[in-house]
Amino acid sequence: MLELGIVSGVLLIGALIALVPADPLLFLGASGIVLGLVGGLPAAALYHGKLYLALKATGSVPRWWWVSPVKYHDQIDEQAEEGFRWSFRVGAAGFGLIVLGCVMAAAALWKLQIAGEG
């Protein structure tokens, strides 16, 4: 089911890039980047801070824990994880919005530069 959602998303983004003129596409992409940063960055910082404190409470904070923090979720208890699960999801959604915005902005700039649209 996840694969169907991914394929549908890629097709939708491709259609959006093909059908929307470059100027509005660039605006949408830049807006996505800004919204992802404004909403996702504080949530991600809060998530990493709370995860660090939860790992510290267990007595073991691995050296490079922040590189792949999700694999350390099983080292903390369920109650501590409930405290930062929402910030994890909001931060991940913000990151996804940033990536989507970058793809849209890059496509718009490509359309403006290479295809001569605009």
Side-chain angles (χ1 to χ4, degrees):
M1 193 64 168
L2 177 64
E3 295 83 4
L4 180 62
I6 291 172
V7 170
S8 299
V10 168
L11 290 174
L12 182 64
I13 292 167
L16 181 70
I17 289 171
L19 298 175
V20 175
D23 290 337
L25 189 62
L26 182 59
F27 176 76
L28 287 172
S31 298
I33 293 168
V34 169
L35 288 174
L37 286 171
V38 168
L41 200 56
L46 182 64
Y47 160 72
H48 282 85
K50 286 190 172 193
L51 178 60
Y52 173 80
L53 293 175
L55 287 171
K56 190 174 179 182
T58 65
S60 67
V61 179
R63 186 171 187 182
W64 295 93
W65 68 272
W66 50 272
V67 174
S68 182
V70 176
K71 67 181 176 183
Y72 299 108
H73 286 195
D74 61 350
Q75 293 182 9
I76 56 177
D77 62 354
E78 185 71 26
Q79 186 177 4
E81 188 178 358
E82 284 292 324
F84 62 79
R85 187 174 293 156
W86 71 269
S87 59
F88 170 74
R89 290 183 178 143
V90 171
F95 176 74
L97 195 56
I98 292 167
V99 171
L100 178 62
C102 287
V103 169
M104 292 170 65
L109 292 173
W110 176 80
K111 287 174 89 169
L112 286 171
Q113 185 68 27
I114 302 298
E117 185 182 321

